[in-house]
Amino acid sequence: MEELLGLVCSPHSPWAALEGSSAEDRFLRQLAIQNPLMLKDTFFYSYFRSLQVVDKQVSLVDKDLLKFSKLEELVLSANQIKEIDAINLPPTLKVLELYGNSISSMECLCVRPPPCLQHLGLGQNKLLGPSQSLYLTARHWPHLVSLDLGFNDLTDLQRMMSNLSTLQHLRLLVLQGNPLALVPYYRGFTIDSLARLCALDDITVSPSENHQFRGLSHSGGSLAPEAQFVVTIGNVRGILDTSVLDPEQGPQGPFITYSYYVTYDFVEDEEDEGNVYEGVLAEIVKPTPSVEQLGDEIPAEVITEEAVDRVESVPTTTSRSADMEESVASGESMPLPRSAEELAKLRPRINPLLCPSPGTVLFSTVRKPWADVIHCNYEMQHTLRDLVPLKAFLLAGTTVTIVEEKILSWPVGPPPFDSPLSKGKGEKNKKEKGKKGKDGNSKAAAKREKETTKEQKGSKKKRELPKELRQDPPILRVLGSGLVALEPLLMGEPLVSTVCNFGVIRTMESDRLTFFRDSKTKKAKKVGETRKSKTTFSAVSEYESHYQPEPLTVEVQIQLKQCRSAEEALQVLAM
């Protein structure tokens, strides 16, 4: 017997207990050697106080569980249980954990719940609807001390607190991860409603909190069930200055302008009629077809005459834009595609990165010209009443995208030129004015002639840039795009602050051209041409020797508003 016991207890034995085994497991192994006749069904069922069956694909709890006559702890987490009949649960249970299952209602648990249960864990399930709070009263759980309902889809905070207040022994409560925990007054209202609570969401309830939120529960009927978020987008760095790579603009165009902006998607509130967003430092963007990507997936047969006209009137590819530039420069008309296949190839496809996902709205910062550091200075408040889709959105996260918008503009009329007739009339007028000047006051006539000449020169300079321009549809290019995780906001964190890094998109060549252009602009007024060029050359050489490309980054902050006192909650209500 001693040798057998040694085989069971030795860590090198193939009969040794597995790592992490309980003291009960080790005792049973020794008992099987010392007194094997005791190991009968009746002994097993009366011996176990705790039973853990985790991640074993359990879907049904039957009446055989009642054979465990002294079972106090039952853990059936991470299984496939949709409902559990409380009649099959041993009445001696004090701890019941059903985390990570598919339970959608507590009704099945309340038929005949264990009368002495002290802890109930139903986190990470699918509890949904205000009716679930009806099953959380002292009538069903008279001795409940700890309750975990985290990460379900519970929404009605006021009704939940009204029923939980009947649980006189409740001291520990977890509700984070539910949509109801996103409202600004959630913690204060819960603490004031449950005066005996010791910890909420694993954070101890302090006496100061009890004092700060005193009386807030009496205003429950007037508190709006809505969540408030503030999205802030700061500086954008590392953008490639594409304009330095473009050819010089001629008098006949195209005149190219670049602007840059940041987009992000946020959940759309279906209960907000009209989806009106006020205090606009933002702009709700409707996706523009990106000419960078061609859509040949649309069959040519479905292209209507109206679509053909639209495609024919708008250049949709880079090569087509280049052909148009050449044709305009030469004064020729642009040949239009004739076959349906050509039109199908030219039909633009919307860039998926510039489209909001279903149920969300795409927001954009104000378009700004290129700079080494673009200060977006963007702030937008989102107030949402439909909390269940909001929770799903926070679990998925938001996509932040930096976009370059390129617009080609063309003169509306023909380029200005001086006709021989106008030139002849000008010379004739000069002769007449000169003649009059000789007959009268020659000095005054000469002065008037000089002013007229200046005006004509000024008008010629003005005519070099056309006043009216025709703009092509914007060409959009995604410079960087990435996902910002928002799940910490569900975990109780009030703020998600990050710097999205999309890698280096600048090149030595483009940065050198940008640096040379900026240096030339700064020193043109101060230094002579020869000295200026030498200084710029040495500066560029020094710049290249210390060149370190800066990655494309954007600063993003998303804050969940939370009230820190009853007064602050009432102020939010008044606003």
Side-chain angles (χ1 to χ4, degrees):
M1 184 179 296
E2 292 178 358
E3 293 177 355
L4 291 175
L5 289 174
L7 289 174
V8 171
C9 298
S10 173
H12 304 291
S13 170
W15 294 277
L18 298 175
E19 185 178 355
S21 297
S22 63
E24 296 174 348
D25 189 8
R26 293 192 293 271
F27 170 76
L28 288 175
R29 288 172 180 270
Q30 296 175 16
L31 183 63
I33 296 172
Q34 295 171 346
N35 194 353
L37 297 178
M38 288 186 62
L39 299 180
K40 297 181 180 180
D41 291 350
T42 53
F43 171 78
F44 270 114
Y45 288 130
S46 62
Y47 173 76
F48 283 105
R49 301 291 190 275
S50 175
L51 180 62
Q52 298 184 11
V53 185
V54 178
D55 194 15
K56 299 297 182 184
Q57 309 297 316
V58 176
S59 60
L60 179 66
V61 177
D62 58 23
K63 61 183 180 180
D64 287 338
L65 193 63
L66 295 173
K67 295 178 180 179
F68 293 90
S69 57
K70 296 182 181 180
L71 194 66
E72 296 181 354
E73 180 183 12
L74 176 61
V75 179
L76 297 174
S77 298
N79 285 292
Q80 298 177 356
I81 301 172
K82 293 184 178 180
E83 62 178 24
I84 182 169
D85 195 344
I87 297 176
N88 296 331
L89 296 177
T92 54
L93 278 183
K94 293 182 180 179
V95 175
L96 175 61
E97 292 188 359
L98 297 167
Y99 294 101
N101 283 280
S102 302
I103 300 173
S104 58
S105 176
M106 294 181 61
E107 184 178 4
C108 55
L109 280 171
C110 295
V111 177
R112 193 194 298 170
C116 300
L117 197 71
Q118 297 178 5
H119 171 72
L120 177 60
L122 285 171
Q124 299 283 355
N125 276 279
K126 297 180 180 180
L127 299 177
L128 175 65
S131 62
Q132 296 306 310
S133 59
L134 299 175
Y135 307 111
L136 294 170
T137 61
R139 179 170 152 247
H140 301 102
W141 319 98
H143 300 286
L144 201 63
V145 177
S146 173
L147 176 62
D148 189 344
L149 298 173
F151 287 89
N152 282 279
D153 290 325
L154 303 173
T155 56
D156 195 339
L157 180 62
Q158 282 85 355
R159 190 179 298 184
M160 176 73 69
M161 293 303 110
S162 175
N163 290 297
L164 288 179
S165 61
T166 64
L167 303 177
Q168 300 297 317
H169 301 283
L170 187 64
R171 298 294 181 270
L172 309 173
L173 178 62
V174 177
L175 289 174
Q176 70 181 10
N178 284 283
L180 58 79
L182 297 172
V183 297
Y185 51 87
Y186 154 69
R187 185 170 179 86
F189 186 83
T190 303
I191 289 173
D192 192 53
S193 300
L194 307 176
R196 300 179 181 86
L197 205 61
C198 297
L200 175 61
D201 297 335
D202 298 327
I203 300 175
T204 303
V205 177
S206 63
S208 61
E209 282 186 306
N210 282 319
H211 177 72
Q212 289 169 356
F213 295 112
R214 183 175 299 171
L216 184 58
S217 59
H218 302 299
S219 305
S222 57
L223 294 172
E226 59 186 25
Q228 297 178 1
F229 294 84
V230 177
V231 178
T232 305
I233 296 180
N235 298 332
V236 179
R237 303 174 185 270
I239 289 183
L240 172 66
D241 186 6
T242 315
S243 62
V244 298
L245 304 177
D246 291 334
E248 293 186 4
Q249 300 175 1
Q252 298 177 356
F255 303 102
I256 305 174
T257 57
Y258 291 91
S259 58
Y260 301 88
Y261 59 93
V262 181
T263 69
Y264 68 95
D265 58 332
F266 214 84
V267 66
E268 181 180 10
D269 194 355
E270 296 180 357
E271 296 184 8
D272 187 8
E273 296 182 1
N275 292 325
V276 178
Y277 299 92
E278 298 179 354
V280 193
L281 284 173
E283 170 182 3
I284 302 174
V285 176
K286 292 184 179 179
T288 306
S290 174
V291 301
E292 298 284 329
Q293 300 182 8
L294 301 179
D296 53 0
E297 74 281 356
I298 304 175
E301 291 78 12
V302 300
I303 301 179
T304 62
E305 292 182 3
E306 181 182 354
V308 168
D309 294 336
R310 185 168 61 251
V311 174
E312 288 178 348
S313 61
V314 177
T316 55
T317 63
T318 307
S319 60
R320 184 169 172 81
S321 297
D323 294 341
M324 178 175 282
E325 292 176 22
E326 294 177 2
S327 64
V328 172
S330 61
E332 299 175 359
S333 60
M334 184 65 194
L336 298 178
R338 298 179 181 180
S339 64
E341 289 79 5
E342 289 183 56
L343 295 177
K345 290 180 180 179
L346 292 175
R347 192 178 183 86
R349 182 178 64 192
I350 295 177
N351 190 329
L353 296 175
L354 300 177
C355 296
S357 57
T360 64
V361 178
L362 196 67
F363 290 85
S364 163
T365 63
V366 177
R367 288 158 173 76
K368 291 196 174 184
W370 182 89
D372 195 41
V373 179
I374 298 177
H375 306 284
C376 293
N377 299 325
Y378 173 92
E379 185 175 296
M380 181 69 173
Q381 178 170 317
H382 299 268
T383 302
L384 303 155
R385 297 186 182 91
D386 202 354
L387 300 179
V388 175
L390 173 61
K391 176 198 168 185
F393 169 76
L394 295 178
L395 287 173
T398 183
T399 301
V400 176
T401 305
I402 301 177
V403 184
E404 175 189 82
E405 183 180 79
K406 176 181 179 182
I407 296 180
L408 277 67
S409 303
W410 307 83
V412 173
F417 63 92
D418 294 332
S419 64
L421 294 176
S422 62
K423 188 176 181 181
K425 287 181 180 179
E427 292 177 355
K428 185 177 180 182
N429 292 335
K430 284 182 183 179
K431 289 179 181 179
E432 289 178 358
K433 288 180 181 179
K435 188 176 180 182
K436 288 180 181 179
K438 289 178 181 178
D439 295 340
N441 192 349
S442 59
K443 290 183 179 180
K447 185 178 181 181
R448 284 196 300 271
E449 185 178 353
K450 185 182 274 189
E451 289 176 357
T452 306
T453 306
K454 286 183 179 179
E455 289 177 2
Q456 290 176 353
K457 288 182 178 178
S459 63
K460 286 181 181 179
K461 289 181 179 179
K462 289 179 182 177
R463 283 200 299 269
E464 290 178 0
L465 293 176
K467 295 181 180 179
E468 296 184 7
L469 296 174
R470 172 179 58 83
Q471 291 185 350
D472 287 352
I475 301 173
L476 304 182
R477 186 164 70 100
V478 174
L479 303 181
S481 182
L483 185 69
V484 176
L486 302 180
E487 191 173 357
L489 297 175
L490 282 172
M491 300 289 293
E493 295 291 334
L495 178 68
V496 169
S497 181
T498 184
V499 177
C500 299
N501 190 330
F502 304 122
V504 177
I505 65 171
R506 286 183 170 183
T507 61
M508 170 74 82
E509 180 185 359
S510 63
D511 281 0
R512 182 172 62 245
L513 293 173
T514 303
F515 179 78
F516 183 78
R517 180 196 62 189
D518 294 343
S519 301
K520 186 176 179 181
T521 304
K522 290 178 182 178
K523 298 180 180 180
K525 297 180 180 179
K526 298 181 180 179
V527 189
E529 291 296 328
T530 305
R531 186 178 173 187
K532 177 191 66 176
S533 61
K534 291 181 179 179
T535 307
T536 305
F537 178 77
S538 60
V540 169
S541 301
E542 184 180 354
Y543 172 77
E544 291 180 358
S545 62
H546 297 87
Y547 178 72
Q548 290 182 352
E550 187 175 16
L552 178 64
T553 59
V554 58
E555 302 168 356
V556 179
Q557 285 188 355
I558 300 178
Q559 180 181 7
L560 172 63
K561 280 197 170 183
Q562 295 179 346
C563 300
R564 291 168 291 182
S565 65
E567 294 180 358
E568 189 175 340
L570 295 175
Q571 287 176 1
V572 172
L573 172 63
M575 293 172 62

